[in-house]
Amino acid sequence: MIVARRVYQYGIAFAAIWMLVNGLAGLLEVLFEGVVEALLPPLISLGSSELADRVSLYGALTGIGLITWVIHWGLALRAVTRDPVAERRSGIRKLYLYGVLVVGGLILTYEIRRLVFDLLGVVFGTVTGTAFLYGEVTEPLAMLLVMGMFWIYHLRLAGRDRLAVPEVGAGATLRRWCVYLLALVGLLMLLFGTSNLLARLVEVAMPRAGVQLDTGRWLATDVAGRVASLLTGLLVWATAWTWSTRQFRQIGGADLERESTLRKVYLYFVLFFSISWTVWNIGQVLYVLVRSLLIPSQAGELWSTAQRELGDTLAHVVTFGIAWAYHATVITRESAAAPERHRQAAIRWIYGYLVAVVGALMFGSGLSGTIATLLDLLVRPGIPHAEHWWQERLSLYATLIVVGLPVWLLPWLRLQREVVAAVARRSLARRIYLFLALGMTVLTLLGTGAFTLYQLLRVALGETWTASNTSNLLEAASAAAVAGLLLAYHLRVFQHDAALARQDEEAEAAEATRLAAAAPAPGIGAPADADTVTLLVVRAATAEQAAELRAQLVAAVPAGIPVETVRLPAAEAARLLRPPG
């Protein structure tokens, strides 16, 4: 009943607050326009019917939204008064608060960008001062004021709830989703805004021969949009990330940020995206370079074509390369500052094996394509092909090899160094990677074998062997050779892991035998197992931390095993732990 009541109250309040925000913002926009119109000559003459229509619409939204939100939010506040601890700890209340903060934060991000864009339009001369005051600024400014007021209110309310009741479990997870989602949106705006701005500045500074750039209104508007994205993204990302980093530095309290799995998910997602985007752009440059070396007659044309995108490519490589380096440094520093929990390590392993899979696929595809092209040239030297056939193919496949090999080896070799720890080589991510590698290579061998047999049977049944059949057979043989090499390598890795697992089992069995032999028999210097109680002494920093640990122990131990807690003075605990004699 309590859960249903919370779902109803907070759900209706969440829907009503957006009606209220849009209504108030619309009325405030009409008010701003009226003030500006009274002070300045109007640019547009608005009829009384349009004004009445807008006021009626926004007034209806405000009235219905206000009444609905006040009633249901008031009921929620009364519930907090009756039972402050349980209500403030409620996951549904946390979902409402952080839902308003994340949706409101996205709205504020969009409106801040609009306002900055309009301000830059005045600076660059694309928007006149009168037009700015009358038509451009009123809408984003009205929404910023109204949404900002409600956003700050809910932010302070969530902060008071955290001070009154420590935020653990689902509540802390929802807070992190809010913070890291806003940080991600801000970071992407910052990165793409910066890279796009750099690309445009490079294009203006080094214009291509024979191309006339429009350096007037269009360029000013374009630059204003990119600068607006840069500044807005920097503001949003720096605010969310600074708050999260400050939480990470705390070493006391419940549900510490340094123990958060979601923080690792955010960091490794940003790192994976930055690496992928940087490598993709580097690969484009390498492809043009290799193709120009192999086809000297087209070098000028190729570089002329590439120059159109060279500024974009270099800007993206620099911007996302810096993001890659920064987040890699953050991960290294935080790993040294705080011990890595198993779930956090699992996220790191998933990231590492995911990158390794992508790199291995690129490397394998490039290697098999290169072998097939070279074999085709050796086996059929006089067969005519399309112009620059082998140069184009080798340019593509060489790029895949050069890019894919380090992308595969760098994370793979680091992961291989960790297999000395049993928990690392027994991880689910490693098993999935190995079985995926074995499965894909075996399926490749089966597919190429079936294709080869199909071609041979066609010839045996009277079909004419053609030059294309030879090319297809060489491609199949190349793919099978590369798949066989990768299969043999990963099979050796799998067998090595299995051998280490057997050694672990033997060591565990030997240790269990040793302990059993060393344990005193019941009735000879030690009580029987049925009368033995295991005491676990925990020196928790706070009572909340001890309560949270007890809840985790209760959830972890098998059913039927009681978990009891007793608070003792330090001296008494030391006496109980003192060995006999």
Side-chain angles (χ1 to χ4, degrees):
M1 184 65 182
I2 295 177
V3 174
R5 185 259 302 168
R6 288 172 180 159
V7 170
Y8 166 75
Q9 288 178 355
Y10 290 110
I12 297 299
F14 185 80
I17 194 172
W18 306 117
M19 295 180 62
L20 177 58
V21 167
N22 283 280
L24 286 176
L27 291 177
L28 191 58
E29 180 186 353
V30 172
L31 177 62
F32 285 161
E33 291 179 357
V35 172
V36 173
E37 188 173 351
L39 299 176
L40 299 172
L43 297 178
I44 302 175
S45 178
L46 297 177
S48 59
S49 60
E50 181 180 349
L51 180 62
D53 183 68
R54 292 174 63 189
V55 172
S56 300
L57 173 62
Y58 296 137
L61 290 175
T62 301
I64 298 299
L66 179 62
I67 293 173
T68 306
W69 183 73
V70 166
I71 291 175
H72 291 83
W73 183 241
L75 293 174
L77 293 179
R78 288 179 57 188
V80 173
T81 304
R82 290 194 302 267
D83 191 354
V85 175
E87 197 68 24
R88 286 192 169 104
R89 186 179 289 137
S90 167
I92 299 173
R93 177 181 175 86
K94 300 292 185 183
L95 182 62
Y96 165 80
L97 290 174
Y98 291 117
V100 171
L101 289 177
V102 71
V103 176
L106 295 176
I107 293 174
L108 289 174
T109 301
Y110 174 73
E111 299 298 339
I112 290 173
R113 187 194 177 279
R114 289 182 61 192
L115 183 60
V116 174
F117 177 75
D118 294 338
L119 290 171
L120 291 174
V122 175
V123 174
F124 294 156
T126 59
V127 178
T128 64
T130 303
F132 170 74
L133 291 175
Y134 188 82
E136 302 290 341
V137 72
T138 53
E139 184 177 353
L141 183 59
M143 180 58 76
L144 277 174
L145 291 175
V146 175
M147 190 70 253
M149 176 182 64
F150 281 97
W151 196 84
I152 292 174
Y153 169 73
H154 285 82
L155 180 66
R156 297 183 63 182
L157 195 63
R160 288 200 297 267
D161 283 2
R162 287 196 303 272
L163 289 176
V165 178
E167 208 167 44
V168 297
T173 301
L174 289 171
R175 181 196 72 223
R176 292 177 181 126
W177 272 109
C178 174
V179 172
Y180 292 122
L181 181 59
L182 292 177
L184 181 62
V185 171
L187 180 62
L188 292 179
M189 287 185 66
L190 171 62
L191 293 178
F192 281 106
T194 303
S195 58
N196 291 334
L197 178 62
L198 289 176
R200 181 63 68 227
L201 294 178
V202 169
E203 186 178 1
V204 173
M206 297 184 298
R208 300 188 305 275
V211 178
Q212 184 66 32
L213 285 177
D214 181 4
T215 57
R217 182 184 179 88
W218 173 85
L219 181 60
T221 303
D222 184 63
V223 171
R226 298 170 192 236
V227 173
S229 296
L230 187 158
L231 295 177
T232 304
L234 178 61
L235 173 64
V236 175
W237 173 73
T239 302
W241 182 245
T242 301
W243 187 90
S244 173
T245 303
R246 189 167 58 247
Q247 292 292 114
F248 179 85
R249 295 194 183 102
Q250 295 182 3
I251 58 176
D255 211 332
L256 296 175
E257 195 70 18
R258 59 182 56 216
E259 299 176 356
S260 167
T261 302
L262 192 58
R263 183 178 180 87
K264 295 291 185 183
V265 172
Y266 167 81
L267 286 172
Y268 283 112
F269 175 80
V270 171
L271 192 61
F272 179 76
F273 186 84
S274 301
I275 293 174
S276 302
W277 199 254
T278 304
V279 169
W280 168 259
N281 285 276
I282 291 176
Q284 289 182 308
V285 176
L286 288 175
Y287 171 73
V288 173
L289 177 61
V290 175
R291 187 171 176 178
S292 300
L293 293 175
L294 295 177
I295 314 177
S297 61
Q298 294 186 357
E301 180 183 351
L302 288 172
W303 281 108
S304 177
T305 303
Q307 189 180 0
R308 290 197 296 269
E309 300 178 356
L310 186 59
D312 288 345
T313 301
L314 293 178
H316 282 94
V317 168
V318 171
T319 304
F320 284 86
I322 292 174
W324 173 2
Y326 171 75
H327 287 88
T329 303
V330 170
I331 290 173
T332 303
R333 184 174 64 245
E334 292 188 357
S335 299
E340 193 174 49
R341 302 174 67 189
H342 180 70
R343 292 181 63 185
Q344 294 174 326
I347 299 299
R348 177 171 57 80
W349 293 330
I350 291 173
Y351 157 78
Y353 287 115
L354 180 61
V355 175
V357 165
V358 174
L361 287 175
M362 294 176 64
F363 171 69
S365 301
L367 184 59
S368 63
T370 301
I371 295 175
T373 303
L374 295 176
L375 288 176
D376 205 314
L377 290 173
L378 293 174
V379 173
R380 305 188 307 156
I383 300 298
H385 292 286
E387 187 180 10
H388 305 304
W389 166 80
W390 67 270
Q391 293 94 334
E392 293 178 356
R393 286 170 61 94
L394 287 183
S395 300
L396 174 62
Y397 295 137
T399 301
L400 290 176
I401 292 175
V402 172
V403 174
L405 186 60
V407 171
W408 172 44
L409 288 183
L410 289 177
W412 174 246
L413 294 178
R414 176 180 55 80
L415 292 166
Q416 281 293 89
R417 288 193 295 268
E418 296 186 22
V419 297
V420 293
V423 66
R425 63 176 175 270
R426 293 177 181 176
S427 68
L428 180 61
R430 182 176 180 84
R431 295 181 182 181
I432 291 176
Y433 169 82
L434 288 176
F435 281 114
L436 184 64
L438 296 176
M440 292 179 66
T441 51
V442 168
L443 289 176
T444 301
L445 290 173
L446 291 175
T448 54
F451 179 78
T452 302
L453 182 60
Y454 162 72
Q455 295 287 0
L456 296 177
L457 289 176
R458 287 183 61 196
V459 174
L461 294 175
E463 288 286 341
T464 303
W465 187 268
T466 63
S468 62
N469 295 131
T470 303
S471 297
N472 293 335
L473 195 61
L474 291 175
E475 291 181 358
S478 302
V482 174
L485 290 175
L486 293 176
L487 174 62
Y489 173 73
H490 286 92
L491 189 59
R492 287 189 60 187
V493 172
F494 183 81
Q495 292 172 342
H496 182 257
D497 284 3
L500 292 177
R502 288 193 295 271
Q503 292 179 9
D504 292 340
E505 294 176 357
E506 293 173 359
E508 291 173 359
E511 180 65 15
T513 303
R514 186 188 66 80
L515 293 177
I524 308 177
D529 289 343
D531 298 329
T532 301
V533 176
T534 299
L535 296 179
L536 176 65
V537 178
V538 178
R539 299 181 185 272
T542 62
E544 292 81 5
Q545 194 175 13
E548 178 66 17
L549 178 60
R550 183 186 184 281
Q552 294 177 4
L553 287 174
V554 171
V557 300
I561 298 180
V563 177
E564 302 177 6
T565 57
V566 178
R567 293 178 60 85
L568 297 175
E572 182 65 16
R575 188 186 66 80
L576 290 174
L577 294 174
R578 187 180 303 119

